[in-house]
Amino acid sequence: EIETAIKVVVVGNGAVGKSSMIQRYCKGIFTKDYKKTIGVDFLERQIEVNGEEVRLMLWDTAGQEEFDAITKAYYRGAQACVLAFSTVDRDSFEAIESWKKKVEDEVGEIGMVIVQNKIDLIDDAVVETEEAEALAHRLRLRFYRTSVKDNLNVDEVFRYLTEKYLFQ
Ligand code: GDP
Ligand code: MG
């Protein structure tokens, strides 16, 4: 019996791996196709935390990152948020704070986490680890490094957000 359902939004610049992350977590697959691959508003996955079944609904911004009016509708009712940037995209890192603000303007303060994706491309990194850690520290957010491609740390991100929602 599921007593808790949590709406999670995954935001960040285009091509950082948001859709891939949702697909990886909910379907267990990874594709190199740079296309809108989900085709629905959200995917879901059920996890158990402390003996309680929780349903996570992961909302994707459908490749419409630049259209405020559309993405705002996605944020509505969100209870947790992934702020994602890419290891190989400097602009995406610099946009993190504005994504945080966009979401908070719509839904207020909710549990958030900063995710540096594509850590498998670390040799081509354009963001220093220290800078990312400093940003997370300043914004008082937990920071994870993931590779959706290699399935590294993806489960941990969503488990953390779930526990944060349930227990604090
Ligand atoms: P979105 O625009 O943020 O939804 O990004 P997508 O999920 O569409 O991913 C953009 C591109 O990055 C696709 O070609 C993905 O296959 C690729 N990608 C996503 N995650 C990773 C990762 O962890 N490592 C690498 N190397 N590529 C990734
Ligand atoms: Mg996408």
Side-chain angles (χ1 to χ4, degrees):
E1 186 196 345
I2 299 166
E3 285 165 18
T4 310
I6 306 175
K7 176 175 176 175
V8 184
V9 289
V10 181
V11 303
N13 284 10
V16 300
K18 302 181 298 296
S19 301
S20 302
M21 184 176 296
I22 293 170
Q23 282 205 118
R24 164 65 84 190
Y25 188 66
C26 296
K27 292 185 180 168
I29 57 169
F30 176 77
T31 166
K32 275 196 161 170
D33 250 350
Y34 179 61
K35 280 203 182 104
K36 181 171 170 286
T37 31
I38 287 193
V40 294
D41 291 337
F42 67 88
L43 290 177
E44 53 181 55
R45 177 167 166 181
Q46 215 168 294
I47 61 168
E48 193 187 303
V49 177
N50 279 11
E52 186 181 345
E53 288 294 328
V54 179
R55 174 179 295 150
L56 297 181
M57 294 166 296
L58 271 57
W59 287 65
D60 191 15
T61 44
Q64 310 274 340
E65 289 87 351
E66 65 272 35
F67 301 115
D68 265 18
I70 298 171
T71 51
K72 272 188 177 178
Y74 281 93
Y75 304 156
R76 220 152 282 153
Q79 292 143 313
C81 173
V82 174
L83 301 165
F85 71 95
S86 161
T87 300
V88 292
D89 179 352
R90 181 81 205 173
D91 287 347
S92 73
F93 172 68
E94 282 164 7
I96 286 292
E97 211 170 340
S98 75
W99 282 109
K100 177 174 183 283
K101 187 175 180 325
K102 263 187 210 176
V103 174
E104 285 178 348
D105 283 351
E106 203 60 28
V107 300
E109 266 193 39
I110 56 173
M112 291 190 177
V113 61
I114 298 178
V115 171
Q116 173 175 357
N117 187 39
K118 308 197 187 185
I119 204 71
D120 54 287
L121 302 177
I122 194 74
D123 290 347
D124 301 313
V126 293
V127 180
E128 301 285 333
T129 302
E130 294 74 22
E131 302 178 88
E133 283 170 352
L135 177 71
H137 188 255
R138 185 162 61 78
L139 299 179
R140 299 169 178 276
L141 296 176
R142 179 82 67 95
F143 171 53
Y144 284 91
R145 295 185 195 87
T146 65
S147 169
V148 169
K149 181 171 179 244
D150 295 342
N151 200 16
L152 183 80
N153 264 343
V154 177
D155 287 9
E156 285 78 358
V157 167
F158 294 104
R159 179 161 288 273
Y160 166 72
L161 283 175
T162 305
E163 290 177 352
K164 192 169 167 56
Y165 176 80
L166 291 175
F167 306 124
Q168 47 182 46

